[in-house]
Amino acid sequence: MIRLLVADDESLLRMAFRMVFDAEPDMEVAGEAADGERAALLARRLRPDVVLMDVRMPGMDGIEATRRIVRDSPRSPVLVLTTFDLDEYAFAALKAGAAGFLPKNARPEELLSAIRAVAAGEAALSPRVTRRVLERFAPQMTPPPALRDDRLARLTAREHDVLAQVARGLSNAEVAAALRLAEATVKTHLSRVLVKLGLRDRAQVVVFAYESGLVRPAADPPEA
């Protein structure tokens, strides 16, 4: 059973979410919050499997609440939902440690699939979409060089190669083809990368690769 915490300042929307989730045999709503501070508190208290987080709420917003939950309740991944389908919000959510980002007008099956993916420890935002967001906002990233070198030094040469390919948005099969490895071997290397770097999913791998300087933003395409 996937236990959910729903954080949104609109009570009718929380009610609608509850009706959808309670109709699923593998989901239940463990708690609701109307603001970010309450969401962070309930995440610590209830330890939900997934937190559904609105961005714009009174008091503490969803981005700051996500940051606190990732810090204080790391076993409760956050899926950010917003009516504002803008890259700026996706970037802020990913930087805060969210496991995914979806607009509120996503189809129910998309939302349910994303919840199940996040609960299983996967990212609900494809690496390619993550990379598109970071290509635009990577210049804002200025990590300390010492941190950058220390974390990358934990990886073997092959793990480093896999990290770089995943950060470019490649699937496991595509990484396997590029590096001439078995797909199962790629999965093993990626699992080790996640453990060594303390990352949760592929979306965080992409964020780390850009922040560390391993992957650079693509040059702007030439004007027509």
Side-chain angles (χ1 to χ4, degrees):
M1 185 67 69
I2 300 173
R3 301 174 63 252
L4 301 169
L5 170 61
V6 180
D8 196 292
D9 61 337
E10 297 184 25
S11 58
L12 289 178
L13 192 55
R14 295 198 307 273
M15 183 184 303
F17 279 143
R18 179 180 284 275
M19 292 176 62
V20 171
F21 301 144
D22 285 346
E24 296 298 308
D26 60 339
M27 296 183 187
E28 66 176 2
V29 177
E32 299 180 14
D35 58 71
E37 186 171 0
R38 178 68 174 170
L41 174 64
L42 288 180
R44 291 196 303 271
R45 180 183 300 172
L46 301 176
R47 299 181 180 180
D49 298 303
V50 178
V51 179
L52 295 180
M53 182 72 70
D54 187 22
V55 170
R56 292 193 173 183
M57 292 185 289
M60 183 189 298
D61 65 20
I63 301 302
E64 178 58 29
T66 296
R67 189 174 294 108
R68 294 196 182 186
I69 291 172
V70 170
R71 181 192 66 196
D72 300 335
S73 308
R75 295 184 181 274
S76 297
V78 179
L79 178 60
V80 171
L81 301 175
T82 179
T83 53
F84 305 94
D85 188 13
L86 300 175
D87 284 348
E88 287 85 350
Y89 293 105
F91 174 74
L94 292 173
K95 284 282 290 178
F101 173 90
L102 284 177
K104 286 183 180 178
N105 61 2
R107 297 191 303 273
E109 57 269 25
E110 291 178 322
L111 177 57
L112 295 173
S113 176
I115 290 172
R116 293 185 175 103
V118 169
E122 302 171 6
L125 190 64
S126 75
R128 284 186 174 83
V129 173
T130 305
R131 184 184 178 189
R132 176 180 63 81
V133 172
L134 296 183
E135 288 283 355
R136 180 176 174 185
F137 293 98
Q140 299 180 20
M141 300 180 182
T142 54
L147 173 64
R148 196 163 57 227
D149 296 341
D150 178 67
R151 298 186 74 182
L152 287 173
R154 302 174 190 176
L155 306 180
T156 66
R158 183 55 79 185
E159 290 165 353
H160 191 283
D161 293 340
V162 170
L163 168 62
Q165 296 297 326
V166 170
R168 294 185 174 94
L170 274 63
S171 65
N172 287 345
E174 292 169 335
V175 174
L179 299 180
R180 297 183 179 180
L181 298 172
E183 188 171 347
T185 302
V186 171
K187 292 180 180 179
T188 298
H189 284 310
L190 180 56
S191 295
R192 290 172 179 168
V193 168
L194 294 175
V195 171
K196 289 183 178 182
L197 299 182
L199 306 176
R200 185 177 56 245
D201 51 46
R202 298 174 77 97
Q204 289 194 347
V205 166
V206 180
V207 173
F208 171 82
Y210 274 83
E211 286 188 320
S212 69
L214 178 63
V215 175
R216 298 293 183 182
D220 293 333
E223 296 183 3

